[in-house]
């Protein structure tokens, strides 16, 4: 139900998170805040405990600011707040931030379907969640974006929710806060029961930090869906389904020559090399040339495992690099792998930059492998345009060992 209640709600401030940007500030405060991503033009909010019952006597307020001249819209994925009159348990949206804010709408009720978009009149909104005494109710889960994206969807919308053969939608930032599973991977496709925006992050067509537009194509299902780890999303294996969906892209996801040896051994370099004698007296050298995805033999490993080590790929000319696939050693007797890493890039080998996501002031730490054998993919959104790339391990299992492939395409001449 939609309720109109007293505006003087109590506020408990137990923790504060503020994110400053060039356009303003965004933050959350209180003890009832669930996993949330407040991006500069879209985001996702949830109550504490979602999708389980929200706690008693908790509150959270989120303050959202988008660029001046823009307005904000909200779409609810779930609204399940136990109350009949919105006096004790509710979610309320305000135009503005601070004492001059004015109420837009107030919601409560179990299993409510809010189909309409809720819009602000300006570029700032406060979202207030109050959770008093109750026995049931999972709270809420919602997405927001600026109003030019009228086709905003939520992180829970599945492929089966869209009957069209092809469609385009806008995914918000923060869909990795969803607890829903996806099944499948690129290029074969995703089972229709998968949440579309979570699958889009896994596929590398949008980033969790920013969100973005997706172009989806539905087709006949396949007997089996592969499970993989990509972009911090684990997809599960799945069985036969009536339909699947894939994403239209610009096609810049080809391999850049490590596995095929299009990149020569002389184009691979490293900070150091592990060179040792086995118990049988044989020499074992873990050279950079071994760091080729799917190739048999020893991978690259440095002489010492520390955070100063790196593996370098020289592509000889500037390329648009959209992703990277890594594995560990691939050797049962040496179960080494890199579990986190940073990426550096350069156009000339003199000036180097660590990769950062849009609107971030921190170097991105990529999730690496979780075992020595299986591949893990990470995508660069936005892409890197560079001639040289370095992988800088930051965490590893037992010792650093790595094989990889870069994904991308030629840089188009303007």
């Amino acid at each position: 139900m939609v309720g109109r209640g007293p505006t003087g709600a109590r506020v408990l401030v137990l923790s504060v998170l503020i994110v400053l940007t060039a356009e303003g500030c965004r933050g959350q405060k209180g003890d009832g805040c669930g996993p949330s991503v407040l991006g500069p033009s879209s985001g996702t909010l949830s109550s504490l405990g979602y999708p389980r019952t929200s706690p008693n006597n908790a509150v959270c307020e989120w303050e959202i600011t988008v660029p001046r001249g823009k307005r904000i819209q909200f779409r609810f994925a779930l609204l399940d707040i136990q109350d009949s009159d919105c006096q004790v348990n509710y979610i309320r949206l305000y135009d503005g931030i601070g004492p001059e804010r004015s109420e837009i709408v107030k919601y409560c009720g179990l299993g409510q379907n809010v189909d309409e978009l809720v819009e602000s009149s300006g570029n700032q909104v406060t979202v207030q969640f109050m959770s008093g005494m109750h026995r049931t109710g999972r709270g809420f889960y919602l997405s927001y974006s600026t109003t030019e994206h009228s086709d905003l969807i939520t992180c829970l919308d599945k492929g089966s929710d869209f009957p069209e053969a092809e469609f385009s939608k806008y995914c918000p930032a923060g869909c990795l806060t969803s607890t829903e599973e996806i099944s499948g991977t690129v290029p074969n496709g995703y089972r229709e029961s998968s949440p579309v925006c979570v699958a889009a992050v896994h596929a590398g067509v949008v980033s969790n930090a920013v969100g973005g537009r997706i172009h989806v194509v539905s087709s006949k299902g396949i007997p089996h869906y592969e499970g993989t780890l990509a972009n911090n999303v684990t997809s599960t294996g799945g069985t036969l389904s009536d339909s699947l969906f894939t994403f239209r892209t610009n096609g810049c996801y080809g391999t850049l020559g490590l596995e095929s040896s299009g990149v020569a051994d002389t184009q691979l370099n490293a900070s150091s090399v592990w060179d040792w004698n086995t118990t049988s007296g044989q020499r074992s050298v873990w050279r950079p040339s071994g760091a080729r995805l799917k190739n048999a033999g020893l991978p690259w490993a440095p002489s010492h495992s520390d955070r100063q080590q790196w593996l370098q790929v020289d592509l000889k000319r500037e390329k648009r690099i959209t992703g990277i696939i890594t594995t560990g050693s691939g050797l049962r007797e040496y179960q080494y792998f890199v579990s986190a890493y940073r990426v550096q890039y350069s156009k000339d080998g003199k000036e180097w930059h660590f990769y950062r996501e849009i609107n971030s002031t921190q170097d991105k730490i990529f999730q690496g492998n979780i075992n020595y054998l299986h591949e893990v993919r990470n995508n660069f959104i936005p892409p890197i345009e560079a001639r040289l790339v370095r992988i800088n391990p930051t965490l590893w299992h037992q010792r650093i060992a790595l094989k990889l492939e870069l994904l991308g395409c030629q840089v188009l001449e303007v």
Side-chain angles (χ1 to χ4, degrees):
M1 66 175 290
V2 179
R4 302 288 176 180
T7 57
R10 69 185 176 92
V11 177
L12 300 175
V13 182
L14 299 184
S15 62
V16 178
L17 168 65
I18 297 292
V19 181
L20 297 178
T21 71
E23 298 291 347
C25 69
R26 309 181 302 279
Q28 67 183 39
K29 54 190 176 183
D31 61 347
C33 309
S36 303
V37 173
L38 279 65
S41 59
S42 70
T44 302
L45 313 181
S46 67
S47 52
L48 185 64
Y50 168 83
R52 298 177 299 277
T53 303
S54 57
N56 290 324
N57 301 319
V59 63
C60 185
E61 285 195 359
W62 295 262
E63 295 177 345
I64 301 169
T65 299
V66 299
R68 294 183 184 276
K70 305 282 188 181
R71 293 185 299 120
I72 310 170
Q73 61 187 5
F74 296 84
R75 187 176 291 282
F76 281 84
L78 178 135
L79 179 60
D80 193 47
I81 300 173
Q82 183 182 18
D83 207 319
S84 58
D85 56 10
C86 299
Q87 297 300 303
V88 179
N89 301 285
Y90 58 81
I91 181 171
R92 179 159 46 185
L93 279 68
Y94 295 91
D95 266 320
I97 292 172
E100 301 301 317
R101 67 192 187 184
S102 60
E103 183 180 294
I104 304 172
V105 71
K106 187 178 183 182
Y107 291 114
C108 66
L110 294 174
Q112 296 295 304
N113 292 318
V114 182
D115 295 326
E116 69 273 11
L117 283 169
V118 179
E119 295 188 5
S120 70
S121 61
N123 74 317
Q124 293 186 315
V125 167
T126 301
V127 178
Q128 181 186 69
F129 173 62
M130 298 294 294
S131 179
M133 293 299 295
H134 59 279
R135 294 183 178 180
T136 186
R138 294 181 289 164
F140 77 93
Y141 190 42
L142 66 75
S143 301
Y144 73 86
S145 74
T146 49
T147 52
E148 65 263 33
H149 305 299
S150 59
D151 54 355
L152 170 71
I153 61 176
T154 76
C155 304
L156 300 188
D157 290 321
K158 298 176 170 58
S160 55
D161 295 329
F162 304 98
E164 306 94 333
E166 296 191 29
F167 60 91
S168 175
K169 299 292 179 183
Y170 189 83
C171 287
C175 279
L176 296 197
T177 58
S178 168
T179 58
E180 299 290 312
E181 287 189 343
I182 65 167
S183 181
T185 190
V186 291
N188 295 331
Y190 296 87
R191 205 172 192 274
E192 83 270 23
S193 58
S194 302
V196 174
C197 291
V198 181
V201 175
H202 183 274
V205 296
V206 298
S207 76
N208 183 62
V210 179
R213 180 155 301 282
I214 58 172
H215 303 278
V216 183
V217 179
S218 298
S219 57
K220 186 178 179 180
I222 56 178
H224 176 73
Y225 294 87
E226 183 183 357
T228 63
L229 173 58
N231 299 309
N232 289 3
V233 183
T234 299
S235 71
T236 62
T239 56
L240 176 68
S241 66
D242 291 335
S243 65
L244 60 78
F245 61 88
T246 56
F247 299 96
R248 287 198 184 278
T249 69
N250 60 12
C252 188
Y253 296 96
T255 56
L256 292 182
L258 278 89
E259 181 185 346
S260 67
S261 295
V263 171
D265 288 352
T266 55
Q267 293 170 245
L268 300 172
N269 199 1
S271 52
S272 65
V273 173
W274 191 27
D275 186 347
W276 60 289
N277 291 322
T278 67
T279 55
S280 61
Q282 291 183 326
R283 189 182 179 195
S284 180
V285 185
W286 298 46
R287 298 181 176 88
S289 58
R292 299 178 183 275
L293 193 72
K294 292 185 172 67
N295 281 20
L298 298 174
W300 166 71
S303 57
H304 298 90
S305 291
D306 58 47
R307 298 183 67 163
Q308 282 67 55
Q309 304 300 325
W310 46 262
L311 174 69
Q312 177 179 296
V313 182
D314 185 349
L315 298 170
K316 290 300 185 184
R317 57 181 297 182
E318 192 172 316
K319 300 284 180 70
R320 175 166 293 159
I321 306 161
T322 58
I324 179 173
I325 302 172
T326 61
T327 67
S329 68
L331 303 171
R332 184 184 296 272
E333 62 271 34
Y334 302 108
Q335 297 187 15
Y336 311 143
F337 57 90
V338 172
S339 54
Y341 59 89
R342 296 185 296 176
V343 172
Q344 285 182 288
Y345 60 94
S346 174
K347 294 187 176 184
D348 57 10
K350 298 176 182 178
E351 185 176 351
W352 290 87
H353 305 275
F354 279 107
Y355 184 82
R356 294 177 176 179
E357 290 187 304
I358 295 174
N359 301 309
S360 176
T361 58
Q362 296 184 332
D363 304 338
K364 179 166 183 177
I365 303 294
F366 292 88
Q367 179 181 346
N369 296 89
I370 58 175
N371 57 48
Y372 72 98
L373 186 60
H374 294 111
E375 296 178 5
V376 172
R377 172 173 46 83
N378 281 289
N379 290 91
F380 304 127
I381 303 175
I384 294 170
E385 293 197 357
R387 193 193 96 198
L388 299 108
V389 176
R390 282 181 179 175
I391 313 306
N392 169 219
T394 58
L395 289 173
W396 49 88
H397 176 71
Q398 296 185 16
R399 69 176 302 135
I400 294 170
L402 184 66
K403 295 185 179 184
L404 66 88
E405 179 64 272
L406 295 176
L407 307 175
C409 60
Q410 302 289 344
V411 175
L412 297 177
E413 299 293 339
V414 179

